[in-house]
Structure formats: structure tokens, C-alpha cells
């Protein structure tokens, strides 16, 4: 079955659970025990009458991740750990846990990142309660993050998804989610070819959130989790495969749900569950000069792609940007809209992402310059201004996609 090993499938098929805590991992021996033990405390405190287990779906760690997990002190909750099979990636790991939930008929699954250092027992209640109380079948995290943490979310996933579907979900790729029976069934009924795309890797979070917004009969909820402390990187470092997998999946979903996003002309904040948390997250150091340099070099190397896929006014703008290494909010939105449409041509996809990467560095550099002396709340107001800019330009997006 899917990404679960056969022997594990046989063992788990005889079990019946109400709740599962799913922890995908790859070389996380330093943090996974803390995540497992904290989730067990949350289960015992908030859902003592429900039958639960904690599952580690591992990508073949070369350290002691699985041994550390299995030796965690989890208040007698059953611990299960296995190496998933299939395409290596977070999505495949999460799919295997969803399969277990589907098979055992659970009421809900909570997914927690295995590198978390800030998880608290309350997170279990916050991510599960809207589901157990039948108000939602999908709960996303609502974090307080440093202004330079989550720049892909802030400049692409959050504003674009919000204006497309009319649901303002602040952390659509947050990593820690609550998933109810309805959405478990919907995910498990998706074809193998969908699961074997970038969704098997870092595309999983945006896929799960966007699918829930479009297909659940219940509203998506957000859980007030406070600060997220995890392994973070300077947004000016190499983006690796995450950028292409997340953005490519988002663009593909735009095509899939294009008839749904034609209509919304405004957006509403998705309901937030839990008391507002006031915290001051740990600052992230960024290298502005490196971002600017990566924008300049990348645009010079990939400028022929821009000439092939963008309109003339944006080509002219990028001529200037490749000398300065900065991209404004206004032009960023225009470029993203045009490239999202061009991405429908499969032969262009690789080149479009290659072009978008240096433009993203220029956009992030622009944000860093503007927010250098601002606190997190002031920077958040700038992100909100960007969201409103996306909304004002939505009619242009509809024309580009020929949906007006």
C-alpha cells in the first residue's frame, strides 16, 4: 500500500486508533525525542479518553533518529517507527502516516516537524480541538515568526493563495498541521501520479492546504501556536530544491483550481483558534550583499529566459534590475503573475523556476532594505501591504490567464 512497508501495514491494520501524532524525519536525532515526548504530554492532558499513538515516518536517517525516537518516554503511548518506501521526501513520509490514519479510521492526525524546538503540549490541543469539535477538517499553524523567517511564505504562498481562493491563511506551508477524517479521505483518494510529483517532497504543505481550502466542506482553521523555533536558514543562502517544489506545486494547483479562483474579489481571514500569543522570536541574521549579488548574477545568466517568457515592459525592468540587484513589490507581483501563466507550458517549467530564483533574491533584498530598522510588527504590516497589492492586481491576473 502506497509508501508504507508491507510488514508495518500488516501490523498496523489490526490496530484501532482515534488520534495519531505523525513525525516525519531525516537525521533529526537531536530534536525528535523532545517533539515526541511533548506531544505525549499534550495527548494525556487534553485528550486522555482517546486512543492515540505516535508515529515516526523516517527517510532512512544515517544517524540515530529512529532509535532515539523509540526510546522516548511517551507516557505509555504506543510508538511506531519505520522507513517509508518510495520517492525520498517529506511528502512521501506524510503520505505514509495519512495511509495509517485512513486504514485505522482515526478521527484526526497531527503532523509535527521533527526539528521543532518550541513545540508545547498546548499545540496538540490547538491543532486538534477544531477537528474533534467538528468545526474544521484542516488546521494550519499561526506562528509569530521573525521578519526574515519564511520569506517564501511571505512573498509568494501567503499573498498569492489568499487572493486566489479568498481564504487568508497566514502560514499555508507551516509544517505543523491538524488533519481530520474528511481531508484524510480526500488526500488518500488522489491518484498515485499526484503523490509522485513534487508533492512527494517539499510541495506537500502547499498541496495539503490548498486542497483543503478548495475541497473541504468545513472551513480551514488556524491555531495560535506562538513562536516557531526550528532549523532556519538565511534567505540569501542557496534555496535548494524547496523553492522549485513549493512554487511549482502552487502554480500547478492554480491550473487545477482555476475555475474556483475566478470569482473571489476579496478575502476573509480564516478562523483563528486559541488565545493570541505575545512573543518576541529570535532574530535571524541575513546577508543582504549576498542576496543582491545573487540577483545580479542570476539575472545576467538567465536573461535569455526572461526575453522568451515575459512581456516587453518587464524585460526592460529586469535590464535595470540586473545592474541593481533589487526588485520592487509592484514588479514582483507582475512578474509572478505572468510566470504563473507561462508555467502551464510543461516545456518551460524548468526555465521559469531558474529565472524566478534570482528575481526572488532581488525581491527579498528589497524587503530587507525597507525593514532593516523596523520591528517584526512593522515588517508584518509591509507584508500585509504586499497582500493588498496582489489583491488590487487580481484583475490583471485573470486577463493574463484569460479567465476574465
Amino acid at each position: 500500500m502506497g509508501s508504507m512497508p508491507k510488514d508495518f501495514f500488516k501490523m498496523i491494520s489490526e490496530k484501532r486508533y482515534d488520534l495519531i501524532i505523525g513525525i516525519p524525519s531525516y537525521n533529526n536525532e537531536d530534536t525528535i525525542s523532545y517533539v515526541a515526548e511533548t506531544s505525549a504530554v499534550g495527548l494525556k492532558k487534553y485528550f486522555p479518553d482517546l486512543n492515540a499513538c505516535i508515529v515516526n515516518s523516517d527517510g532512512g536517517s544515517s544517524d540515530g533518529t529512529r532509535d532515539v525516537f523509540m526510546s522516548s518516554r511517551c507516557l505509555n503511548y504506543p510508538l511506531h517507527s519505520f522507513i517509508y518506501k518510495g520517492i525520498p521526501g517529506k511528502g512521501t513520509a506524510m503520505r505514509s502516516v495519512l495511509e495509517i490514519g485512513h486504514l485505522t479510521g482515526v478521527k484526526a492526525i497531527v503532523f509535527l516537524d521533527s526539528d521543532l524546538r518550541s513545540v508545547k503540549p498546548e499545540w496538540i490541543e490547538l491543532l486538534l480541538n477544531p477537528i474533534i469539535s467538528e468545526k474544521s477538517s484542516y488546521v494550519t499553524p499561526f506562528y509569530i515568526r521573525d521578519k526574515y523567517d519564511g520569506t517564501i511564505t511571505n512573498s509568494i504562498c501567503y499573498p498569492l493563495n489568499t487572493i486566489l481562493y479568498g481564504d487568508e491563511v497566514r502560514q499555508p506551508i507551516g509544517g505543523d498541521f491538524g488533519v481530520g477524517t474528511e481531508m484524510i479521505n480526500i488526500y488518500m483518494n488522489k491518484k498515485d501520479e499526484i503523490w509522485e510529483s513534487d508533492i512527494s517532497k517539499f510541495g506537500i504543505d502547499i498541496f495539503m492546504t490548498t486542497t483543503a481550502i478548495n475541497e473541504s466542506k468545513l472551513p480551514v482553521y488556524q491555531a495560535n501556536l506562538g513562536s516557531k523555533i526550528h532549523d532556519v536558514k538565511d534567505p540569501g543562502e542557496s534555496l535548494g530544491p524547496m523553492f522549485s517544489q513549493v512554487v511549482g506545486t502552487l502554480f500547478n494547483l492554480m491550473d487545477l483550481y482555476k475555475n474556483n479562483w475566478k470569482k473571489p474579489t476579496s478575502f476573509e481571514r480564516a478562523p483563528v483558534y486559541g488565545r493570541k500569543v505575545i512573543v518576541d522570536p529570535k532574530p535571524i541574521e541575513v546577508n543582504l550583499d549576498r542576496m543582491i549579488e545573487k540577483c545580479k548574477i542570476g539575472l545576467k545568466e538567465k536573461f535569455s529566459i526572461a526575453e522568451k517568457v515575459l512581456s516587453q515592459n518587464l524585460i526592460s525592468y529586469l535590464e535595470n534590475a540586473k545592474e541593481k540587484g533589487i526588485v520592487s513589490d509592484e514588479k514582483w507581483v507582475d512578474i509572478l503573475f505572468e510566470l504563473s501563466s507561462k508555467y502551464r507550458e510543461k516545456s518551460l517549467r524548468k526555465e521559469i523556476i531558474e529565472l524566478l530564483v534570482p528575481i526572488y533574491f532581488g525581491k527579498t533584498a528589497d524587503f530587507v532594505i525597507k525593514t532593516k530598522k523596523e520591528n517584526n510588527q512593522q515588517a508584518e504590516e509591509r507584508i500585509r501591504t504586499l497582500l493588498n497589492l496582489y489583491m488590487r492586481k487580481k484583475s490583471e491576473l485573470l486577463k493574463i490567464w484569460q479567465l476574465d
Side-chain angles (χ1 to χ4, degrees):
M1 182 178 181
S3 54
M4 244 198 302
K6 282 185 181 176
D7 56 345
F8 190 82
F9 171 77
K10 186 177 180 184
M11 179 189 77
I12 204 78
S13 62
E14 298 165 4
K15 310 280 184 182
R16 280 292 174 265
Y17 294 114
D18 299 310
L19 304 175
I20 291 175
I21 305 295
I23 309 175
S25 67
Y26 184 69
N27 291 338
N28 302 111
E29 66 176 2
D30 292 339
T31 50
I32 195 165
S33 188
Y34 174 69
V35 176
E37 290 173 1
T38 304
S39 62
V41 173
L43 286 169
K44 185 67 76 179
K45 182 176 180 179
Y46 297 104
F47 303 99
D49 299 328
L50 295 178
N51 192 22
C53 69
I54 304 172
V55 174
N56 166 229
S57 177
D58 188 72
S61 295
S62 57
D63 65 0
T65 295
R66 293 183 65 213
D67 291 336
V68 169
F69 171 80
M70 289 304 295
S71 62
S72 301
R73 297 175 181 179
C74 289
L75 307 176
N76 296 321
Y77 284 104
L79 299 179
H80 302 293
S81 178
F82 60 89
I83 297 173
Y84 63 78
K85 60 178 187 172
I87 299 167
K90 183 183 178 185
T92 308
M94 292 175 73
R95 181 189 187 187
S96 66
V97 179
L98 289 165
E99 286 170 352
I100 295 166
H102 188 60
L103 183 67
T104 58
V106 298
K107 291 182 171 71
I109 297 170
V110 167
F111 286 103
L112 297 174
D113 281 342
S114 52
D115 66 347
L116 281 170
R117 293 176 173 83
S118 56
V119 62
K120 295 181 176 122
E122 296 79 45
W123 285 27
I124 305 303
E125 192 272 337
L126 291 164
L127 289 167
L128 275 177
N129 196 288
I131 295 168
I132 300 300
S133 60
E134 300 183 347
K135 292 175 181 172
S136 178
S137 189
Y138 189 77
V139 183
T140 67
F142 193 91
Y143 302 124
I144 309 297
R145 303 175 84 166
D146 180 71
K147 59 189 176 183
Y148 302 135
D149 185 12
T151 50
I152 296 174
T153 294
N154 296 343
S155 59
I156 307 175
C157 298
Y158 160 57
L160 184 53
N161 248 33
T162 296
I163 67 121
L164 289 174
Y165 309 112
D167 279 18
E168 186 190 349
V169 175
R170 184 63 184 86
Q171 301 291 339
I173 59 171
D176 309 302
F177 303 104
V179 187
T181 305
E182 179 206 28
M183 286 313 304
I184 293 169
N185 294 338
I186 286 171
Y187 297 136
M188 286 297 91
N189 284 321
K190 298 296 180 186
K191 294 177 181 176
D192 282 349
E193 64 195 62
I194 290 174
W195 282 105
E196 289 163 8
S197 66
D198 282 340
I199 290 160
S200 67
K201 300 177 183 178
F202 288 115
I204 182 66
D205 295 347
I206 194 66
F207 160 73
M208 288 178 66
T209 301
T210 306
T211 303
I213 289 169
N214 282 280
E215 298 193 32
S216 178
K217 292 174 182 170
L218 296 168
V220 168
Y221 263 59
Q222 305 179 87
N224 254 326
L225 301 185
S227 180
K228 179 169 186 172
I229 302 170
H230 63 130
D231 296 337
V232 296
K233 291 181 179 178
D234 175 351
E237 287 184 16
S238 175
L239 291 172
M242 181 182 176
F243 184 87
S244 64
Q245 291 164 12
V246 171
V247 176
T249 300
L250 190 153
F251 285 169
N252 283 333
L253 291 165
M254 283 179 74
D255 196 25
L256 177 66
Y257 294 118
K258 59 180 177 284
N259 290 328
N260 292 12
W261 58 261
K262 281 194 297 187
K263 298 169 191 170
T265 55
S266 61
F267 54 84
E268 286 187 21
R269 189 188 201 186
V272 181
Y273 176 69
R275 288 184 298 115
K276 186 175 181 180
V277 183
I278 309 285
V279 288
D280 200 12
K282 184 180 176 183
I284 294 172
E285 296 297 322
V286 297
N287 188 324
L288 176 60
D289 291 340
R290 181 166 54 196
M291 279 182 221
I292 291 171
E293 196 60 24
K294 285 195 170 190
C295 177
K296 289 178 179 178
I297 292 169
L299 278 177
K300 284 168 185 171
E301 288 177 353
K302 305 298 178 184
F303 202 77
S304 60
I305 302 172
E307 292 175 319
K308 184 162 67 172
V309 297
L310 289 174
S311 56
Q312 187 54 53
N313 70 312
L314 293 179
I315 294 168
S316 301
Y317 177 81
L318 290 179
E319 280 274 15
N320 193 38
K322 72 181 179 182
E323 303 305 321
K324 293 184 176 178
I326 304 289
V327 176
S328 70
D329 284 356
E330 181 106 15
K331 295 303 181 184
W332 165 252
V333 176
D334 292 343
I335 290 165
L336 201 67
F337 282 1
E338 285 196 13
L339 293 183
S340 71
S341 178
K342 293 286 186 181
Y343 195 82
R344 289 178 286 179
E345 295 179 42
K346 289 184 179 179
S347 62
L348 293 174
R349 287 181 178 177
K350 187 171 179 290
E351 288 182 302
I352 283 170
I353 297 297
E354 287 174 356
L355 172 63
L356 193 54
V357 166
I359 299 171
Y360 162 81
F361 281 128
K363 159 71 185 81
T364 308
D366 181 63
F367 179 73
V368 170
I369 291 166
K370 289 174 179 172
T371 57
K372 251 184 185 178
K373 296 179 180 177
E374 295 183 348
N375 61 32
N376 286 327
Q377 186 53 46
Q378 290 168 320
E380 183 66 23
E381 287 166 12
R382 284 196 182 274
I383 295 165
R384 184 87 187 174
T385 299
L386 177 65
L387 167 62
N388 290 326
L389 176 63
Y390 269 85
M391 191 75 245
R392 287 200 306 275
K393 286 178 168 284
K394 185 173 178 180
S395 59
E396 295 172 26
L397 178 66
L398 292 170
K399 284 177 186 170
I400 291 166
W401 275 68
Q402 298 182 327
L403 299 176
D404 56 335

